Amino acid sequence: MNVDALTGGFDRRDWQEQTATDNPVRFAMIGVGWWTTEQAMPAVDAGDLCETTVLVSSDREKAADVAADSETVEHAITYEEFHDGAASDAYDAVYIVTPNALHLPYVETAAELDKAILCEKPMEATIERAERMVEVCDEHDATLMIAYRMHTEPAVRRAKDLIDEGYIGEPLFVHGNMTEPILELVPDPDQWRLDGELSGGCAVMDIGIYPLNTSRFLLDADPVAVRGTVASVQEEFADVPDEHGAFQLDFPGHVYAVCTASQNAHLDSHISVLGTEGKVRVEPAFYPWDDRALQLSHEGTTVEIDFEQIDQMEEEFEYFAHCLLTDTEPYADGEHGLVDINTIKSVYEASETESTVRLD
Amino acid sequence: MNVDALTGGFDRRDWQEQTATDNPVRFAMIGVGWWTTEQAMPAVDAGDLCETTVLVSSDREKAADVAADSETVEHAITYEEFHDGAASDAYDAVYIVTPNALHLPYVETAAELDKAILCEKPMEATIERAERMVEVCDEHDATLMIAYRMHTEPAVRRAKDLIDEGYIGEPLFVHGNMTEPILELVPDPDQWRLDGELSGGCAVMDIGIYPLNTSRFLLDADPVAVRGTVASVQEEFADVPDEHGAFQLDFPGHVYAVCTASQNAHLDSHISVLGTEGKVRVEPAFYPWDDRALQLSHEGTTVEIDFEQIDQMEEEFEYFAHCLLTDTEPYADGEHGLVDINTIKSVYEASETESTVRLD
């Protein structure tokens, strides 16, 4: 194994040309839950190319409290005020992190207001609403990026580099898993993730999307067929089809990904790609609070590859801001996100019909 | 995590009551290829409860050469002579390691001769022939064990112990893989594994059976439904449906196993079981020349568990001989093997029909 090739040449920000600006991209955070305050806002604060200037919440008081603790936030407004265009001079872009079925209206308003949009994945709760999201952004020529933080995660990018450089030969199989005990992490039986209308699905929709989308990213391909099974067993999951799910994606050229996801299991995440001449594995893979680990097996040798552990959300915000500042189209656009929504809904259909579902 | 419980109490031969005998079980080896001479015969030699006394081959001279190097072999006979009952006083049991589609006739003769039978997996090339194998053993009240060496492999037994003791909570998902570059390991394009008539299938049949059967063993359950895809791409595999294959098994209680197998890929094998409270993984898992490794994740901690690395074939022969000496029914009988054949054939059917196949 060529150790030089392994240890040299990797640039986790090979997309970056501009590292500083006098005019950072100013974000309105749409939704001020724990993810916004504990993950997104600190990431934006740490970044060089963006800042948080507006908070949008149903709870003005809560938003104002968070704003008071921030050095950059200028406005705390309600959702209604946002839709009315309040404080629209104070932000350039929005980050949407509401429940899935509430993404579309904020995208519509942001597009109408000529703002750039970073929208959390899954992009919406249904195919129709996701398609509408793409349409509205096209109509207003608005920049839309779906927030797949794996695309700028160094472990995953490094794994893709190794695959692209031929270290595993021709890719053949992906194994992926993401599982968590959601009722321990968020101890609220009324949370929106367990509400089928608001979420559009549970295990496959919310976290199965990680092995699914990361398979697409690592293979640089989209699935052509899907099969699988989902089930809800515990009564807390009665409103969604998938407390647990397992699914298989067929990629072009007879490459198969087998994936599992559960919202009621041991916390675990991994993805591996096996090829004709080696294997690359990221484990842990998907949770921002775990240090990611990368392993390569090739020519009878297995090596652990160290790399800088970074703040995934900072990388993502900086990448998006960089795209806006340099007038570059972000990688994961609405069409990219739509492939995941179609695939996830096809997993549910495949489970329901006990058949393989072909994707367009 | 209770480290005492992890390090103590494991007995890799908890089935063993008798450790010595003046009358070892005398084996006739049916098939004298490299597996017999390099794996099976040394294992029997090393064991305390069995010995090799007869070799049966199409090539009398080759068998005689091997016999000449052995201290215990008394007879080297042809397949025809075996069917005629030659040297039948010189052996108590047969070990059948011919191509899959040639297992049945030796089982029939052995059963008629009142011999015990250890038959390699997969037990036969078709469902009909596997069913006939079970019938003929029933008719003659012959002991038949299918040679699943994972059932007596310490890493796998220890993993099962940890699962049974509740370390991973309720099992939910299995990930399993077995892959190898068969044309590098056995550089002969005319080998029987690539002949559909002789093998009955390739990747899923020959090595996919490891993650499949080990899932059954670890979960102590049989699949109720199966889906998947198989494909042959390279011309050397044109006569079999599955150079590569991926399949998902549904077990009772919404437990899912996702498995991959290829005869034209990087050498790799692993199996893991994830539950509500932990995960156990064996990797490498299935190749006798790899030291197996066992890992347990539980309560936020991951530990590597060391155990004695043994000769898998010695364990298997000793177990089978022990069953015969103590008049115990071996664990993996013909009905057990038939479940695998049915499941494997259903993978091919599922791929062909693009649908889920329910198992009886």
Side-chain angles (χ1 to χ4, degrees):
Chain A
M1 198 178 311
N2 183 339
V3 176
D4 284 349
L6 286 180
T7 52
F10 176 70
D11 176 3
R12 72 175 165 87
R13 284 193 179 181
D14 59 0
W15 44 265
Q16 189 157 40
E17 292 165 10
Q18 180 179 337
T19 56
T21 181
D22 292 332
N23 295 299
V25 173
R26 300 166 304 158
F27 271 93
M29 299 282 166
I30 316 283
V32 189
W34 74 271
W35 184 265
T36 297
T37 56
E38 292 176 34
Q39 302 281 342
M41 289 179 68
V44 171
D45 274 353
D48 296 313
L49 305 180
C50 46
E51 64 183 14
T52 304
T53 51
V54 178
L55 298 179
V56 187
S57 169
S58 59
D59 185 340
R60 187 196 303 275
E61 201 169 328
K62 176 177 159 193
D65 283 351
V66 175
D69 286 341
S70 162
E71 289 180 9
T72 58
V73 174
E74 299 158 11
H75 303 272
I77 62 176
T78 65
Y79 291 130
E80 290 69 27
E81 291 166 343
F82 171 77
H83 287 304
D84 290 340
S88 65
D89 289 342
Y91 61 95
D92 311 301
V94 299
Y95 171 58
I96 300 173
V97 64
T98 59
N100 301 337
L102 303 178
H103 289 176
L104 178 58
Y106 303 107
V107 171
E108 287 176 321
T109 296
E112 285 161 15
L113 291 170
D114 201 24
K115 305 300 179 188
I117 301 148
L118 179 62
C119 179
E120 263 303 334
K121 73 210 161 302
M123 64 194 285
E124 250 289 350
T126 69
I127 292 172
E128 295 70 27
R129 292 174 68 86
E131 286 174 339
R132 175 67 195 138
M133 186 185 294
V134 173
E135 272 171 23
V136 77
C137 290
D138 283 350
E139 281 164 23
H140 293 277
D141 203 19
T143 298
L144 169 64
M145 173 171 143
I146 311 302
Y148 294 103
R149 54 190 157 81
M150 287 306 114
H151 297 176
T152 43
E153 157 60 49
V156 171
R157 291 181 70 83
R158 189 74 192 256
K160 180 164 166 51
D161 255 21
L162 294 169
I163 294 168
D164 292 347
E165 287 168 18
Y167 276 93
I168 69 164
E170 293 297 319
L172 285 174
F173 300 138
V174 180
H175 278 257
N177 178 66
M178 188 165 186
T179 45
E180 63 189 16
I182 192 67
L183 288 165
E184 287 174 31
L185 298 177
V186 185
D188 173 8
D190 295 325
Q191 62 184 288
W192 67 264
R193 283 185 176 80
L194 306 183
D195 177 331
E197 289 291 314
L198 282 174
S199 64
C202 190
V204 179
M205 191 77 172
D206 197 41
I207 55 177
I209 197 171
Y210 281 81
L212 155 57
N213 184 268
T214 309
S215 296
R216 293 176 56 204
F217 180 71
L218 290 173
L219 298 173
D220 209 4
D222 290 342
V224 293
V226 60
R227 61 192 66 74
T229 335
V230 298
S232 285
V233 183
Q234 303 298 323
E235 63 174 347
E236 292 90 337
F237 296 86
D239 193 45
V240 289
D242 54 334
E243 177 182 349
H244 316 298
F247 53 99
Q248 183 193 321
L249 309 168
D250 294 359
F251 285 87
H254 309 290
V255 175
Y256 309 127
V258 291
C259 304
T260 47
S262 173
Q263 286 285 22
N264 193 15
H266 175 65
L267 189 87
D268 181 88
S269 73
H270 63 82
I271 191 160
S272 64
V273 187
L274 179 132
T276 49
E277 291 167 41
K279 182 168 80 162
V280 63
R281 180 168 72 191
V282 185
E283 179 172 12
F286 302 134
Y287 289 100
W289 53 76
D290 279 333
D291 279 356
R292 277 70 65 194
L294 175 61
Q295 197 181 65
L296 173 70
S297 301
H298 177 70
E299 293 179 357
T301 303
T302 295
V303 293
E304 307 283 339
I305 299 175
D306 280 341
F307 50 88
E308 197 176 353
Q309 300 287 342
I310 49 75
D311 179 339
Q312 291 182 338
M313 294 303 291
E314 180 184 339
E315 295 300 291
E316 183 173 70
F317 276 107
E318 286 288 275
Y319 170 73
F320 182 64
H322 187 273
C323 288
L324 299 180
L325 292 171
T326 58
D327 205 21
T328 309
E329 193 66 30
Y331 168 67
D333 64 6
E335 294 286 353
H336 180 98
L338 196 49
V339 171
D340 282 348
I341 303 294
N342 270 315
T343 305
I344 291 164
K345 296 297 181 178
S346 296
V347 170
Y348 298 142
E349 182 189 341
S351 178
E352 189 83 16
T353 61
E354 301 206 337
S355 65
T356 296
V357 176
R358 302 227 147 248
L359 299 164
D360 296 329
Chain B
M1 198 178 310
N2 183 341
V3 177
D4 284 350
L6 286 179
T7 50
F10 176 69
D11 176 4
R12 72 175 165 89
R13 286 194 178 179
D14 59 359
W15 45 265
Q16 189 158 39
E17 290 165 12
Q18 181 180 338
T19 56
T21 181
D22 292 333
N23 294 298
V25 173
R26 300 167 305 159
F27 272 94
M29 299 283 167
I30 315 283
V32 190
W34 74 272
W35 184 265
T36 298
T37 56
E38 292 176 33
Q39 301 282 340
M41 289 179 68
V44 170
D45 273 353
D48 295 314
L49 305 179
C50 45
E51 64 183 15
T52 304
T53 51
V54 177
L55 299 178
V56 187
S57 170
S58 58
D59 184 338
R60 186 197 305 272
E61 203 171 327
K62 176 177 159 195
D65 283 351
V66 175
D69 286 341
S70 162
E71 288 180 10
T72 58
V73 175
E74 298 158 11
H75 304 273
I77 62 176
T78 66
Y79 290 131
E80 291 69 28
E81 289 166 342
F82 171 76
H83 287 305
D84 288 341
S88 66
D89 289 342
Y91 62 95
D92 309 302
V94 299
Y95 172 59
I96 300 173
V97 64
T98 58
N100 301 337
L102 302 178
H103 290 175
L104 177 59
Y106 304 107
V107 170
E108 288 176 320
T109 296
E112 285 162 14
L113 291 170
D114 202 25
K115 305 300 178 187
I117 301 150
L118 179 62
C119 179
E120 263 303 334
K121 71 207 162 304
M123 63 194 285
E124 249 289 349
T126 69
I127 294 172
E128 295 68 28
R129 292 174 68 85
E131 286 175 340
R132 174 66 194 140
M133 186 185 293
V134 173
E135 272 170 23
V136 76
C137 289
D138 283 350
E139 282 164 21
H140 292 278
D141 204 19
T143 297
L144 169 65
M145 175 171 142
I146 311 300
Y148 294 103
R149 54 192 158 80
M150 286 306 115
H151 297 177
T152 44
E153 157 60 49
V156 171
R157 291 180 70 84
R158 189 72 191 257
K160 181 163 166 52
D161 254 21
L162 294 169
I163 294 169
D164 292 347
E165 285 168 20
Y167 276 94
I168 69 163
E170 293 297 318
L172 285 174
F173 299 138
V174 180
H175 277 257
N177 177 67
M178 189 166 185
T179 46
E180 62 188 17
I182 192 68
L183 287 164
E184 288 175 29
L185 298 178
V186 184
D188 173 9
D190 295 324
Q191 61 184 289
W192 66 264
R193 283 183 176 80
L194 306 182
D195 178 331
E197 289 292 313
L198 281 174
S199 64
C202 188
V204 180
M205 190 77 172
D206 197 41
I207 56 178
I209 197 171
Y210 281 81
L212 155 56
N213 183 268
T214 309
S215 295
R216 294 175 57 202
F217 181 70
L218 290 173
L219 298 173
D220 210 3
D222 290 342
V224 294
V226 60
R227 61 192 66 75
T229 336
V230 299
S232 285
V233 184
Q234 304 298 323
E235 63 174 346
E236 292 90 338
F237 296 86
D239 193 45
V240 289
D242 54 334
E243 177 182 350
H244 316 297
F247 54 98
Q248 183 193 324
L249 310 167
D250 294 0
F251 284 88
H254 310 289
V255 176
Y256 308 127
V258 291
C259 304
T260 47
S262 172
Q263 287 284 21
N264 193 15
H266 176 66
L267 189 87
D268 181 87
S269 72
H270 63 81
I271 190 160
S272 63
V273 187
L274 179 132
T276 51
E277 291 167 41
K279 182 168 81 162
V280 64
R281 180 167 73 190
V282 185
E283 180 172 11
F286 302 135
Y287 288 100
W289 53 78
D290 279 333
D291 278 356
R292 277 70 64 193
L294 175 62
Q295 197 181 66
L296 173 71
S297 301
H298 177 68
E299 292 179 357
T301 303
T302 295
V303 292
E304 307 282 341
I305 299 174
D306 280 340
F307 50 88
E308 197 177 352
Q309 301 287 342
I310 50 74
D311 178 340
Q312 291 183 337
M313 293 304 290
E314 180 184 339
E315 294 301 290
E316 183 173 71
F317 276 108
E318 285 289 274
Y319 171 72
F320 183 63
H322 187 272
C323 287
L324 298 181
L325 291 170
T326 58
D327 205 19
T328 308
E329 193 66 30
Y331 168 66
D333 63 7
E335 293 286 353
H336 181 98
L338 196 48
V339 171
D340 282 347
I341 303 294
N342 270 314
T343 304
I344 291 164
K345 297 297 182 178
S346 297
V347 170
Y348 298 141
E349 184 189 340
S351 178
E352 188 84 17
T353 60
E354 300 206 337
S355 64
T356 296
V357 176
R358 302 227 147 248
L359 300 164
D360 296 328

